[in-house]
Amino acid sequence: MLFTLTTTYQPATDLGYLLHKHPARVQTFELPFGHAHVFYPEATAERCTAALVLDVDPIGLVRGKNRVMGDTGLIDSYVNDRPYVASSFLSVAIARVYDSALAGKARERAELVPTPLPLQATLAVVPCRGGENIVRELFEPLGYVVATQQHPLDEKFPEWGASHYFTVTLQATCTVRDLLAHLYVLIPVLDAEKHYFIGDDEVEKLLRVGAGWLGTHPAREKITQRYLKKRRLIHSALARLVQEEMTVEQEDDADADAQVASEQKLEAPLSLHEQRLGAVLAVLKQNNAQRVLDLGCGEGRLLKKLLDDKQFEQIVGVDVSHRALEIAGRRLRLDSLPERQRAHIQLLHGALTYRDKRLEGFDAAAIVEVIEHLDPPRLAAFERVVFEFARPRLVVITTPNAEYNAKFPTLPAGKFRHGDHRFEWTRAEF
């Protein structure tokens, strides 16, 4: 079983510091089910690849002192795909061999741990009974560009058809820690056949490694079900994921309220917000848009203007914050709208970095003062959601013009208008 991790970050050999594995050495690690070997087939300043080869002992799995599979008396206890495919064995190897990287530790180059790097991960053979679609369902919402190659059952007998084995390549700009965490959880989900007993400690393990991404993943229920299998454990994990998501969201909303008030106070004398909304509305009307998405709709100020204009027949507001959607609902008075008008508008909970089929087929998408709140490494996922998957005919985007900040006498030089802004671009950068 082969897993490779490649970067073109320069100097690319810094990958060795993050993985705690020297590019000039071959290292071997003993595992309960065989051995893991780490080596670097290429290690230059421009490009570096770390390879993890898992050498699984099929006899030892059943009969060795550390056996992890029971002897059923059938030949398939000894002759199976376990030595050759990415499975829970690989997850265990990642946790043992790359334990420091998975924990986000680096004795040297510690500044690289939180730094998003251009990475490419390749899994030579992955058993995936859900086909290519489930590979994309699991990894694309996390910002990966996914490429798959399905293998035939037997190249000499093409009439036998395709197998459920794939070569999978993932590309993203992210941290090494995040990539390893995603693989650790999702490889067993693709395979759906864990080699060890699943107990209460697996819930803790899933929540620990899935912290920061699993709770908001659109396929979190499927991931949890296939990872844990047992109904009692699944219910426990999902309940805690939902609770953690609500707690984080409440904390974020409290911070956001103060930051929005500060930004609005700063811009109020110039009425910039109203100018923006008016400009966006004018563009939508000029282009005869009738079915409109407001992505990152917040508290519904643009939605209110759209709802008051009879040109717009279907309006959908999307936001990641439940609280913002509740405020938008009150601002729009959805509970008291006439049934005919209420049918024109819908509020959806969703993140703009995850593919969502509900966003497809619209005339236009408005994205007003949203992108600057996204971490730059997540912009690629956002671009795919909007331009590749949703694909509205028209996209209207606004974002603060950094050149204009000099107009605010109370804004210190070099500071952003909003505490949550990840960037503020010049016109050229935009």
Side-chain angles (χ1 to χ4, degrees):
M1 198 275 114
L2 174 65
F3 157 51
T4 62
L5 179 59
T6 300
T7 187
T8 53
Y9 169 86
Q10 296 187 10
T13 48
D14 278 353
L15 180 63
Y17 292 107
L18 288 168
L19 297 178
H20 289 247
K21 303 291 179 287
H22 197 289
R25 294 173 53 199
V26 177
Q27 294 180 259
T28 298
F29 302 83
E30 185 174 357
L31 300 171
F33 44 80
H35 294 85
H37 310 281
V38 178
F39 61 94
Y40 289 76
E42 56 181 343
T44 67
E46 293 75 29
R47 183 180 171 92
C48 186
T49 298
L52 171 60
V53 175
L54 198 54
D55 185 10
V56 176
D57 176 11
I59 304 299
L61 290 180
V62 183
R63 303 179 64 180
K65 63 179 181 179
N66 294 320
R67 65 179 182 269
V68 295
M69 294 173 61
D71 187 351
T72 65
L74 303 175
I75 191 65
D76 62 1
S77 293
Y78 300 92
V79 182
N80 51 59
D81 65 1
R82 297 298 89 180
Y84 314 108
V85 302
S87 66
S88 56
F89 290 113
L90 178 60
S91 289
V92 170
I94 288 174
R96 298 280 183 89
V97 175
Y98 294 144
D99 56 340
S100 295
L102 190 59
K105 299 177 182 178
R107 288 190 299 271
E108 300 182 55
R109 304 290 197 277
E111 72 279 1
L112 287 179
V113 172
T115 302
L117 308 178
L119 299 174
Q120 176 178 298
T122 300
L123 300 165
V125 184
V126 180
C128 182
R129 302 184 189 280
E132 178 185 1
N133 288 340
I134 193 171
V135 180
R136 297 189 179 279
E137 182 182 358
L138 296 181
F139 286 99
E140 284 185 341
L142 297 169
Y144 292 97
V145 177
V146 179
T148 63
Q149 177 189 355
Q150 189 170 16
H151 298 287
L153 278 172
D154 193 313
E155 293 180 352
K156 294 183 179 179
F157 301 94
E159 65 273 14
W160 289 1
S163 71
H164 61 270
Y165 297 103
F166 293 78
T167 294
V168 175
T169 301
L170 308 169
Q171 288 183 305
T173 299
C174 63
T175 66
V176 170
R177 178 185 185 181
D178 284 349
L179 185 144
L180 293 177
H182 297 156
L183 291 177
Y184 177 87
V185 171
L186 297 180
I187 286 172
V189 171
L190 287 171
D191 182 40
E193 289 186 19
K194 279 198 171 181
H195 69 274
Y196 55 82
F197 175 76
I198 301 173
D200 291 334
D201 60 328
E202 287 296 290
V203 174
E204 301 302 324
K205 190 188 304 180
L206 175 64
L207 296 176
R208 183 179 70 253
V209 182
W213 62 272
L214 180 56
T216 57
H217 197 295
R220 70 182 178 192
E221 291 188 14
K222 179 180 291 186
I223 293 169
T224 305
Q225 289 166 358
R226 294 181 67 148
Y227 187 91
L228 295 173
K229 293 182 178 295
K230 298 180 180 179
R231 183 172 297 179
R232 174 179 62 84
L233 301 180
I234 293 168
H235 289 169
S236 172
L238 286 175
R240 290 175 60 181
L241 283 171
V242 170
Q243 182 59 43
E244 288 174 10
E245 180 188 13
M246 291 175 63
T247 301
V248 170
E249 187 174 281
Q250 288 167 358
E251 293 172 351
D252 290 345
D253 285 344
D255 292 339
D257 286 345
Q259 291 167 350
V260 168
S262 175
E263 183 180 23
Q264 290 176 348
K265 181 179 179 181
L266 177 71
E267 296 185 349
L270 300 172
S271 302
L272 284 185
H273 190 65
E274 283 301 314
Q275 290 183 44
R276 285 190 202 105
L277 297 185
V280 171
L281 188 65
V283 172
L284 295 174
K285 289 179 68 66
Q286 289 165 8
N287 286 271
N288 298 315
Q290 295 178 322
R291 306 178 68 244
V292 179
L293 292 167
D294 183 1
L295 301 180
C297 65
E299 298 177 359
R301 290 178 173 84
L302 178 61
L303 293 175
K304 182 69 167 66
K305 292 182 179 294
L306 296 172
L307 189 60
D308 290 341
D309 193 308
K310 294 182 179 179
Q311 173 178 315
F312 304 106
E313 298 177 355
Q314 184 179 3
I315 306 162
V316 174
V318 182
D319 205 278
V320 73
S321 168
H322 283 290
R323 186 170 182 276
L325 293 174
E326 290 174 358
I327 295 172
R330 291 196 296 270
R331 178 186 298 275
L332 298 166
R333 297 176 179 168
L334 295 185
D335 292 339
S336 59
L337 280 179
E339 185 176 343
R340 188 172 180 179
Q341 192 177 16
R342 179 66 180 85
H344 288 209
I345 188 163
Q346 184 179 13
L347 300 181
L348 300 178
H349 179 248
L352 302 188
T353 52
Y354 295 152
R355 183 177 185 177
D356 191 334
K357 292 186 179 296
R358 298 175 299 176
L359 308 184
E360 297 174 6
F362 284 79
D363 298 331
I367 306 161
V368 181
E369 307 298 281
V370 170
I371 62 171
E372 64 274 7
H373 296 273
L374 298 175
D375 290 314
R378 304 294 284 166
L379 288 176
F382 163 78
E383 290 171 10
R384 297 195 74 202
V385 167
V386 176
F387 297 109
E388 181 178 347
F389 301 135
R391 298 183 66 182
R393 177 171 54 83
L394 172 72
V395 178
V396 186
I397 301 179
T398 80
T399 191
N401 177 6
E403 298 165 74
Y404 201 71
N405 287 352
K407 296 286 187 181
F408 302 116
T410 61
L411 184 64
K415 294 291 185 180
F416 292 157
R417 299 183 203 177
H418 190 295
D420 187 52
H421 286 182
R422 284 7 183 210
F423 56 84
E424 287 181 3
W425 285 335
T426 64
R427 283 168 288 184
E429 289 170 326
F430 179 63

